[in-house]
Amino acid sequence: QVQLVESGGGLVQAGDSLRLSCAASGRTFSSYTLGWFRQAPGKEREFVAAITWTWTTGITSYYADSVKGRFTISRDNAKKTMYLQMNSLKPEDTAVYYCAADQNPQTLRAGRSDYWGQGTQVTVSS
């Protein structure tokens, strides 16, 4: 069982930066693929970024094209925390951001994760 709690959202201006955090509970945190999704008003939830870690391959990260080059996902297995550094924010980044965890990377990226946080609001004004 994994519980996820997001934090770090807020109201910023276009071009600003924010860092979201996702704190997790659970004994096998390092074995999970972690990810960020977002949902804007009137739109479906969409994939933002994901990160996996294994002893053999190390860190692998994936990004949606819309955030590539601006957002950076990272994880600290010792702290059981995942981060999303968001730079050069745009008004179209406005959404509720959710973190997710799943032991299957494909399931997570498809938005069918077993575990979800409650979400944190990010609002970017123009």
Side-chain angles (χ1 to χ4, degrees), residues 2-6 22 35-38 45-46 97-102 107-108 110-119:
V2 176
Q3 292 184 325
L4 305 170
V5 179
E6 303 97 335
C22 175
W36 290 97
F37 289 76
R38 66 187 182 186
R45 186 170 58 194
E46 64 174 1
Y97 283 71
Y98 299 91
C99 63
D102 200 284
T107 300
L108 181 137
R112 300 192 303 270
S113 297
D114 287 335
Y115 306 105
W116 293 87
Q118 83 288 350

Side-chain angles (χ1 to χ4, degrees), residues 24-67:
S25 64
R27 293 183 297 174
T28 58
F29 175 82
S30 60
S31 68
Y32 282 81
T33 292
L34 307 172
W36 290 97
F37 289 76
R38 66 187 182 186
Q39 187 167 21
K43 295 187 177 181
E44 293 187 353
R45 186 170 58 194
E46 64 174 1
F47 169 78
V48 175
I51 187 167
T52 64
W53 177 87
T54 70
W55 283 107
T56 54
T57 61
I59 292 286
T60 305
S61 54
Y62 310 87
Y63 296 93
D65 288 343
S66 59
V67 306

Side-chain angles (χ1 to χ4, degrees), residues 41-112:
K43 295 187 177 181
E44 293 187 353
R45 186 170 58 194
E46 64 174 1
F47 169 78
V48 175
I51 187 167
T52 64
W53 177 87
T54 70
W55 283 107
T56 54
T57 61
I59 292 286
T60 305
S61 54
Y62 310 87
Y63 296 93
D65 288 343
S66 59
V67 306
K68 203 171 292 184
R70 299 188 297 123
F71 291 11
T72 302
I73 190 171
S74 62
R75 64 191 292 167
D76 186 329
N77 287 340
K79 295 182 178 180
K80 295 184 179 179
T81 303
M82 171 180 63
Y83 305 97
L84 185 68
Q85 177 67 42
M86 305 185 293
N87 298 329
S88 302
L89 282 161
K90 304 175 181 180
E92 50 264 44
D93 294 318
T94 295
V96 177
Y97 283 71
Y98 299 91
C99 63
D102 200 284
Q103 294 191 317
N104 185 311
Q106 287 71 36
T107 300
L108 181 137
R109 293 181 65 182
R112 300 192 303 270

